[in-house]
Amino acid sequence: MLSPESLKKIDREIAKYPPDQKQSASMSALRIAQEEKGWLSSETIEFVAKYLEMPAIAVYEVASFYNMYDLSPVGARKITVCTNLPCALSGGVHAADYIKKRLGIDFNETTSDGKFTLKEGECMGACGDAPVLLVNNHHMCSWMTEEKIDQLLEDLKK
Amino acid sequence: MSSQGIILSGLDGDRTWRLADYIKRGGYEALRKIIAEKISADDVIAEVKKSSLRGRGGAGFPTGLKWSFMPRAFPGAKYLACNSDEGEPGTFKDRDILRYNPHSVIEGMIIAGYAMGCERGYNYIHGEIFEVYSRFEEALQEAREAGLLGKNILGSDFSFDLFAHHGYGAYICGEETALLESIEGKKGQPRFKPPFPASFGLYGKPTTINNTETFASIPYIIREGGDAFLALGKPNNGGTKLFSVSGHVNKPGNYEIPLGTPFADLLEMAGGVRGGRKLKAVIPGGSSAPVLPASVMMDCTMDYDSISKAGSMLGSGAVIVMDESTCMVKALERLSYFYFEESCGQCTPCREGTGWLYRVVHRIENGLGRPDDLDLLNSVTANIMGRTICALGDAASMPVQSFIKHFGDEFAFHIEHKKCLVPQDVQREGSKIYVA
Ligand SMILES: Cc1cc2nc3c(=O)[nH]c(=O)nc-3n(C[C@H](O)[C@H](O)[C@H](O)COP(=O)(O)O)c2cc1C
Ligand code: SF4
Ligand code: FES
């Protein structure tokens, strides 16, 4: 089950597509569901499928194909650092190493207090801003020097 | 960001993305002109052809010609799609266009919709730039409220609506047919072509897909004329173009310059190579384009023809600069990992081949390379290229071939001596967090 606010957002997405193409909203419906629930459990996926009148397996395929959906629980804050070549040339790997050291975790791990998960990302289309990272998929942070990373981690702990 | 061009020029202040600001800059004049002067759809396409605008998404296909492939008299819906799924490593121009001048894309799409008789368009926006997606939605709302989108645009009998579709992390959705699958709410797996999207596209209907920057160039072409646009660049390479410069330069960022500008000038605009180090190599058109050594690159001008003559591609205009502190094996390892990770897995040569490429480059980088590994890499690429559904297979192969071709010594050294020609501390210094 999703909240009425989430359903309203999903309805707005459905309205973007021709009336007989509701399934086009599956990507945004999953995004909205993940925003509310933190990650996509099979119950959530099945709920979205029912809501869009799609077979659950079709929605599951979408959820597992795209990298930004989380099919298992993640920390309250998911930090994704870009380490693709243009970023790697300009501090991307150093930034990731620094975050690993600060949080005491490696990529694909969550801190023991459940606050942070760290992920390695592919090009985010912001290579000129390297090092670049994303917080919870939606908030992009540019030019992440060690000082700015410290500041960010402080802010996110609150 | 700096501009001698038409898309990112005249952008002052923090409200440049607003409708009112765009109108002050001459925005929507092109659309108004078409409606007021009742310019025919054919004449719009003719003007675009005259401009010699070539697609800015990577393939450089002439835009006017592409538009003329759309069936004229088709009963039922036709669609338009804008490709803002910018995920080709090194490319970050569409993000700035959408952040600072979204209405140029909206106006370009409305005009395209008019020229091809489409009733609806979608802008597919890369997953990682949610903030840009939200802003684009606001810009759409502004346009709708001003009667520029929707039914009977500006009181004419032309109707067109436009929506934003948000990706969620799959590079392959930048491939145009994968993008259509994704808008249909499916896994983004490319389709076999033919049929081409102009006959069987979104929801099975005729569809044209263009890049963000391509659409953003259209208002200027209609307002000032195709000849004026052509004159900004050079023959067969009309206009100005955005170049995203990243890597080892002092001022990474977007530079909008006339096609045909010498690479040396672009490098200078981007502040030159960092720390006074020597230029080693440049990937001139996004990670899928073959790498070129410094000496070759310094003789190139930035346009489709010059870069292609030098053995690479202008692609998306993403210029990745590498200085002498770069280990070319490590650089290739990172790119090969990317293609391995992003292959959609439909075709065996791509799915298996990208895995092989990554594993072999990885073992060379880690001191486990074998004497015949370079032959192996070349034979794997030969078995991928031309044997796959989409161009990702080629995109994964071209970096491998070109890195070995131009920097083979470095690969051989790694294999023989189990270490890098470039000392580790030099590499670390060169790639550390850089504050200009
Ligand atoms: C693997 C792959 C990724 C691509 N990524 C993009 C992209 O991010 N943006 C884009 O405009 N075109 C991309 N393209 C090219 C598109 O398929 C298509 O040619 C382009 O959007 C057409 O627009 P244009 O003619 O205006 O360039 C990609 C192609 C391939 C094979
Ligand atoms: S070439 Fe690769 S990415 Fe393209 S369709 Fe085949 S498997 Fe998918
Ligand atoms: S390589 Fe990191 S954003 Fe492009």
Side-chain angles (χ1 to χ4, degrees):
Chain A
M1 198 45 206
L2 293 172
S3 68
E5 294 80 61
S6 292
L7 294 181
K8 225 164 93 191
K9 284 191 203 162
I10 294 177
D11 290 343
R12 223 179 293 144
E13 295 294 330
I14 293 173
K16 291 179 180 177
Y17 306 96
D20 56 342
Q21 304 290 351
K22 247 182 162 174
Q23 82 281 355
S24 282
S26 60
M27 288 180 70
S28 38
L30 287 171
R31 161 176 51 87
I32 292 161
Q34 179 165 298
E35 270 175 82
E36 180 184 324
K37 302 282 187 190
W39 64 288
L40 297 171
S41 65
S42 27
E43 293 82 70
T44 305
I45 293 175
E46 276 160 32
F47 177 84
V48 168
K50 230 181 241 134
Y51 197 75
L52 296 176
E53 296 162 21
M54 290 171 69
I57 180 70
V59 181
Y60 184 79
E61 270 188 5
V62 170
S64 55
F65 186 82
Y66 298 90
N67 297 332
M68 289 163 68
Y69 298 117
D70 294 305
L71 301 186
S72 52
V74 291
R77 306 293 189 177
K78 181 175 82 167
I79 299 180
T80 313
V81 189
C82 177
T83 58
N84 209 311
L85 178 62
C87 276
L89 293 172
S90 213
V93 177
H94 295 250
D97 286 345
Y98 186 71
I99 299 173
K100 286 179 192 169
K101 200 172 82 190
R102 280 290 319 263
L103 296 177
I105 51 173
D106 211 331
F107 284 134
N108 300 317
E109 290 180 357
T110 300
T111 51
S112 53
D113 60 4
K115 279 206 172 119
F116 292 99
T117 298
L118 185 62
K119 296 260 177 189
E120 186 172 30
E122 292 301 347
C123 181
M124 299 171 180
C127 335
D129 297 6
V132 187
L133 58 82
L134 270 186
V135 179
N136 287 2
N137 286 338
H138 290 173
H139 175 53
M140 188 178 277
C141 305
S142 298
W143 298 292
M144 295 309 282
T145 57
E146 293 185 357
E147 300 80 69
K148 286 178 78 178
I149 291 170
D150 287 339
Q151 185 62 50
L152 176 76
L153 294 180
E154 270 324 299
D155 293 348
L156 292 180
K157 269 189 198 140
K158 283 175 202 153
Chain B
M1 195 170 97
S2 106
S3 174
Q4 309 167 20
I6 56 168
I7 301 174
L8 296 184
S9 62
L11 301 182
D12 293 318
D14 53 9
R15 300 178 61 80
T16 62
W17 63 280
R18 288 285 183 192
L19 177 63
D21 223 270
Y22 182 63
I23 288 175
K24 253 190 253 155
R25 298 195 300 273
Y28 291 106
E29 270 173 27
L31 178 65
R32 283 179 200 284
K33 177 171 152 178
I34 289 173
I35 305 263
E37 296 173 18
K38 297 198 165 52
I39 300 176
S40 75
D42 286 338
D43 287 346
V44 172
I45 295 181
E47 207 59 44
V48 175
K49 278 188 177 161
K50 209 196 279 174
S51 75
S52 155
L53 170 65
R54 294 169 62 166
R56 303 305 198 214
F61 193 84
T63 304
L65 188 60
K66 186 188 261 190
W67 289 13
S68 65
F69 293 156
M70 281 285 267
R72 285 253 124 250
F74 180 84
K78 286 188 267 184
Y79 292 104
L80 195 64
C82 175
N83 192 339
S84 301
D85 192 37
E86 184 172 61
E88 166 98 355
T91 318
F92 49 92
K93 64 191 178 66
D94 299 337
R95 170 176 174 243
D96 273 359
I97 297 174
L98 294 173
R99 277 202 290 185
Y100 302 124
N101 202 0
H103 281 286
S104 67
V105 180
I106 298 173
E107 186 181 7
M109 288 190 77
I110 300 171
I111 293 171
Y114 175 86
M116 289 177 273
C118 304
E119 59 174 46
R120 215 180 241 266
Y122 291 96
N123 186 9
Y124 191 103
I125 299 180
H126 193 220
E128 281 83 350
I129 50 172
F130 182 76
E131 287 138 327
V132 177
Y133 165 80
S134 305
R135 176 173 288 187
F136 191 77
E137 293 244 280
E138 274 190 66
L140 285 177
Q141 195 49 36
E142 284 184 318
R144 225 168 262 133
E145 281 163 14
L148 296 159
L149 274 179
K151 287 227 163 329
N152 303 103
I153 290 175
L154 296 172
S156 70
D157 54 9
F158 164 59
S159 302
F160 176 78
D161 215 339
L162 178 56
F163 303 92
H165 185 99
H166 188 215
Y168 228 54
Y171 165 65
I172 191 58
C173 289
E175 196 281 337
E176 56 187 19
T177 58
L179 180 143
L180 298 178
E181 288 285 303
S182 186
I183 299 180
E184 291 181 4
K186 302 176 190 152
K187 290 190 286 185
Q189 291 190 316
R191 300 173 180 170
F192 276 104
K193 291 191 261 189
F196 290 95
S199 50
F200 188 92
L202 183 62
Y203 308 127
K205 302 286 193 256
T207 303
T208 290
I209 302 113
N210 277 120
N211 172 257
T212 319
E213 187 185 353
T214 310
F215 283 123
S217 306
I218 298 297
Y220 180 93
I221 291 171
I222 300 303
R223 206 174 58 228
E224 310 293 332
D227 289 330
F229 183 82
L230 177 57
L232 295 173
K234 65 184 228 188
N236 197 34
N237 296 269
T240 49
K241 156 118 194 67
L242 276 156
F243 290 96
S244 306
V245 185
S246 67
H248 292 145
V249 289
N250 281 307
K251 290 194 289 177
N254 281 313
Y255 296 88
E256 187 176 25
I257 53 174
L259 283 169
T261 302
F263 169 72
D265 293 2
L266 177 60
L267 183 61
E268 200 183 310
M269 280 177 233
V273 180
R274 251 180 224 181
R277 285 191 294 266
K278 238 175 80 196
L279 182 68
K280 181 172 188 172
V282 177
I283 303 177
S287 63
S288 310
V291 67
L292 293 174
S295 57
V296 176
M297 200 61 211
M298 289 307 280
D299 288 336
C300 285
T301 56
M302 299 307 292
D303 56 82
Y304 297 94
D305 296 339
S306 168
I307 300 287
S308 128
K309 225 165 86 195
S312 188
M313 303 178 326
L314 194 71
S316 56
V319 181
I320 307 172
V321 176
M322 292 174 271
D323 71 23
E324 57 191 338
S325 70
T326 313
C327 165
M328 298 309 275
V329 182
K330 188 178 274 173
L332 180 62
E333 182 197 23
R334 191 58 189 84
L335 291 182
S336 294
Y337 178 74
F338 170 71
Y339 290 106
F340 165 56
E341 185 63 32
E342 298 295 330
S343 164
C344 85
Q346 267 191 110
C347 330
T348 312
C350 172
R351 184 184 63 240
E352 301 300 322
T354 51
W356 272 98
L357 294 177
Y358 169 63
R359 284 191 302 274
V360 175
V361 178
H362 179 72
R363 80 180 176 217
I364 297 175
E365 167 63 16
N366 286 283
L368 299 167
R370 302 171 194 168
D372 50 5
D373 271 354
L374 296 186
D375 293 337
L376 176 60
L377 286 174
N378 279 324
S379 102
V380 174
T381 59
N383 279 303
I384 299 175
M385 290 192 74
R387 294 171 197 232
T388 56
I389 294 177
C390 89
L392 186 136
D394 290 6
S397 303
M398 283 185 293
V400 175
Q401 291 176 343
S402 62
F403 271 72
I404 293 177
K405 178 173 166 202
H406 295 296
F407 300 95
D409 292 354
E410 222 171 296
F411 285 78
F413 188 92
H414 268 257
I415 293 173
E416 195 180 333
H417 300 279
K418 319 284 180 215
K419 61 174 187 180
C420 188
L421 263 171
V422 185
Q424 291 298 324
D425 53 331
V426 174
Q427 288 187 40
R428 252 195 309 276
E429 180 63 25
S431 68
K432 69 177 185 197
I433 297 177
Y434 177 78
V435 189

